[in-house]
Amino acid sequence: MKIEPLSIEGAFEISAPVHADHRGEFSRFYCESTFSDHGLNTRWVQHNRSLTKVRGAVRGMHFQYPPHAEIKLVQCVSGAVFDVLVDLRAHSRSFGQWLAVTLDSSRHNAVYIPRGVAHGFQALTDDARLIYLHSSAYAPQAEGGVRHDDPDLDIAWPLPVVEVSQKDLALPSLSRIQPVEL
């Protein structure tokens, strides 16, 4: 496995070799010993999946406050997404900054998202499917988020945004959220 640091501290892009033959393909998504060797989380308590049917739709930007703050490992298993991370950690050098990684099922890459970093994505294809590993269970009382179209963040979504949930449209701007104290 290849684990490459990203510009937000504690975030990584992860890729693994793909083994292919006439039957299809095989690749590794997670390996406890490799993650442990790199000082990454190895305990996952929840596994989720999502399907985004329409190209251009946006989901996010979501996170959980402590004590339920979570680490996520996200991979696109069908289609492709523009995956965005926003650093919301109070004392981080990159607070308020965002980065994006294109997760593409043909590349078999994944993104590791540390606690205190919001996550969202835009579907680059119809029927984009993601799988997520979470280090903490979903806790509705701890959920937080920031608007995908906050002018202070100025996220450069690659496609026109065609669909966003009402819940995500109601999220506050960066200037109105409580930074995450870890």
Side-chain angles (χ1 to χ4, degrees):
M1 293 185 104
K2 186 175 175 184
I3 299 176
E4 296 288 324
L6 297 170
S7 61
I8 290 177
E9 186 178 351
F12 299 90
E13 183 174 5
I14 299 169
S15 55
V18 177
H19 305 282
D21 64 19
H22 67 281
R23 300 167 297 166
E25 300 176 336
F26 173 85
S27 69
R28 187 171 291 168
F29 171 55
Y30 166 74
C31 176
E32 181 179 15
S33 64
T34 302
F35 274 51
S36 180
D37 290 348
H38 285 83
L40 302 179
N41 181 66
T42 60
R43 182 173 181 271
W44 305 103
V45 301
Q46 192 167 306
H47 180 184
N48 297 330
R49 65 180 186 90
S50 71
L51 165 65
T52 304
K53 293 182 177 183
V54 181
R55 179 181 184 263
V58 169
R59 291 181 183 257
M61 306 294 300
H62 306 136
F63 66 97
Q64 290 194 159
Y65 284 102
H68 304 283
E70 61 188 348
I71 298 167
K72 294 179 185 176
L73 181 62
V74 180
Q75 185 178 48
C76 184
V77 295
S78 179
V81 299
F82 183 76
D83 203 80
V84 177
L85 286 61
V86 177
D87 192 345
L88 300 175
R89 297 170 293 184
H91 305 290
S92 173
R93 293 186 310 256
S94 55
F95 175 80
Q97 295 177 22
W98 66 273
L99 68 81
V101 175
T102 298
L103 298 179
D104 189 320
S105 60
S106 67
R107 289 185 53 220
H108 303 269
N109 61 332
V111 66
Y112 181 95
I113 305 162
R115 289 177 180 89
V117 173
H119 172 254
F121 64 89
Q122 182 176 50
L124 298 176
T125 61
D126 290 337
D127 297 322
R129 294 178 189 270
L130 295 170
I131 57 172
Y132 308 71
L133 299 180
H134 299 259
S135 66
S136 295
Y138 173 66
Q141 72 279 14
E143 75 179 341
V146 63
R147 285 189 64 92
H148 75 283
D149 59 354
D150 183 344
D152 290 333
L153 291 174
D154 197 27
I155 298 171
W157 300 106
L159 301 173
V161 175
V162 297
E163 211 170 284
V164 180
S165 74
Q166 289 302 311
K167 183 176 178 179
D168 289 351
L169 288 173
L171 292 172
S173 63
L174 178 65
S175 65
R176 297 191 58 215
I177 67 159
Q178 175 186 350
V180 179
E181 294 281 350
L182 296 174

